[in-house]
Amino acid sequence: MQTERVTFLTSRDHKAALDAFAVRTGQSVGHVVREATSRFISQPPAANDEEAELAALVAQVNEALPKMNASIDDMIATMQKTHEEVDRTLRAAGIRK
């Protein structure tokens, strides 16, 4: 098997944990890293947390929209009635023709 060198940077704590795991399992650090990366690569991509959050927000908005639309329709009707009442009052007072 032909090999290639890969170098990565990590914290001292992570390196110490990696070394300790390798010693505890009787493997080399290189073997542990190869196994871990092989497993990671072979797994299907994990759902993106941001996409999941966005999907949840979209669902909430879709659920809320009918109530929001009804509320807006009610506000429009109330404003129209208020406008008509103010208009009648101003006409009765002779302020508006």
Side-chain angles (χ1 to χ4, degrees), residues 74-95:
D74 186 50
M75 288 188 301
I76 290 170
T78 301
M79 291 174 67
Q80 184 63 34
K81 288 177 186 176
T82 303
H83 174 74
E84 291 168 359
E85 186 178 326
V86 168
D87 192 48
R88 277 193 303 274
T89 302
L90 291 175
R91 285 181 198 279
I95 299 172

Side-chain angles (χ1 to χ4, degrees), residues 6-19:
V6 175
T7 304
F8 73 98
L9 300 176
T10 189
S11 68
R12 286 184 182 173
D13 290 341
H14 188 254
K15 173 69 166 81
L18 185 57
D19 288 338

Side-chain angles (χ1 to χ4, degrees), residues 32-85:
V32 171
V33 171
R34 280 190 298 278
E35 284 295 311
T37 55
S38 293
R39 289 179 186 172
F40 181 81
I41 290 169
S42 68
Q43 292 178 354
N48 186 335
D49 289 343
E50 290 179 3
E51 288 180 17
E53 289 177 23
L54 180 59
L57 289 173
V58 167
Q60 288 177 353
V61 168
N62 286 336
E63 184 178 326
L65 276 175
K67 185 186 253 186
M68 292 167 61
N69 285 335
S71 179
I72 290 170
D73 290 344
D74 186 50
M75 288 188 301
I76 290 170
T78 301
M79 291 174 67
Q80 184 63 34
K81 288 177 186 176
T82 303
H83 174 74
E84 291 168 359
E85 186 178 326

